[in-house]
Amino acid sequence: MASYNKVILMGNLTRDPEVKFLPSGTAVANFGLAMNETYTDQQTGEKKESACFVDVEAWGRQAEIVGEYFSKGRPILVEGALKYDSWEAEDGTKRNRLKVRLMRFQFVGRRDEDEMGGGYANAQPAAAPTQSESYQEAPAPEATSAPSATDDDIPF
């Protein structure tokens, strides 16, 4: 059975990242992300806005960077995978939620454009984790037996 689990979101943090360290020393950061959608109501013609809130979890060096450079209200581009959590609450009810496990992120905006004075001017691209540090790429799909296009196949 084939499957694919990838999410790309861009929005603003709903709270400051909460960074914790496991006994092994691995950092884990949790933060909320809000994305807004603006649309026009078909019946009234009125502009409306709808918000979507998602929890995001970052690990390792990425968690440390998120904790250092991001705060409530900051924009971020997140690439990750959906993760399903389920647990039993203290009252015995079963609970569950979906969240995004961060694989990559991108700084959005500039520090000097921010009216609060915070931001990313001190965050150099070299400070961001490399692909090998953030996660392993999935293996490339196997080649199919479909013929490939050559110069002779192009009609111009």
Side-chain angles (χ1 to χ4, degrees):
M1 176 173 91
S3 65
Y4 189 73
N5 184 0
K6 186 170 190 174
V7 175
I8 300 173
L9 303 169
M10 185 167 64
N12 297 329
L13 273 70
T14 61
R15 61 184 184 273
D16 289 341
E18 179 183 334
V19 181
K20 295 181 180 179
F21 289 87
L22 301 177
S24 65
T26 303
V28 181
N30 289 289
F31 59 94
L33 192 61
M35 289 74 53
N36 295 321
E37 175 186 10
T38 305
Y39 63 95
T40 304
D41 186 304
Q42 293 293 330
Q43 296 179 348
T44 66
E46 181 182 348
K47 289 247 184 209
K48 293 193 174 187
E49 193 170 292
S50 150
C52 179
F53 299 96
V54 177
D55 289 326
V56 181
E57 170 183 89
W59 289 81
R61 182 70 180 127
Q62 289 184 327
E64 294 173 24
I65 293 169
V66 166
E68 183 176 348
Y69 292 105
F70 289 91
S71 59
K72 181 179 179 178
R74 302 270 180 203
I76 186 173
L77 177 82
V78 169
E79 181 181 330
L82 288 176
K83 180 181 174 189
Y84 180 76
D85 285 337
S86 62
W87 68 97
E88 189 171 311
E90 291 179 12
D91 62 1
T93 59
K94 293 189 179 194
R95 304 284 178 119
N96 57 63
R97 72 172 167 216
L98 279 175
K99 65 177 156 181
V100 173
R101 178 156 192 248
L102 184 118
M103 292 180 182
R104 294 184 194 156
F105 70 90
Q106 181 71 44
F107 291 97
V108 179
R110 295 180 46 133
R111 179 179 193 168
D112 56 359
E113 293 173 351
D114 187 0
E115 65 231 5
M116 294 185 297
Y120 320 115
N122 296 327
Q124 302 300 317
T130 63
Q131 182 175 346
S132 62
E133 291 173 341
S134 61
Y135 72 99
Q136 294 292 323
E137 277 287 0
E142 291 185 28
T144 63
S145 60
S148 63
T150 64
D151 289 340
D152 295 324
D153 297 333
I154 299 173
F156 50 88

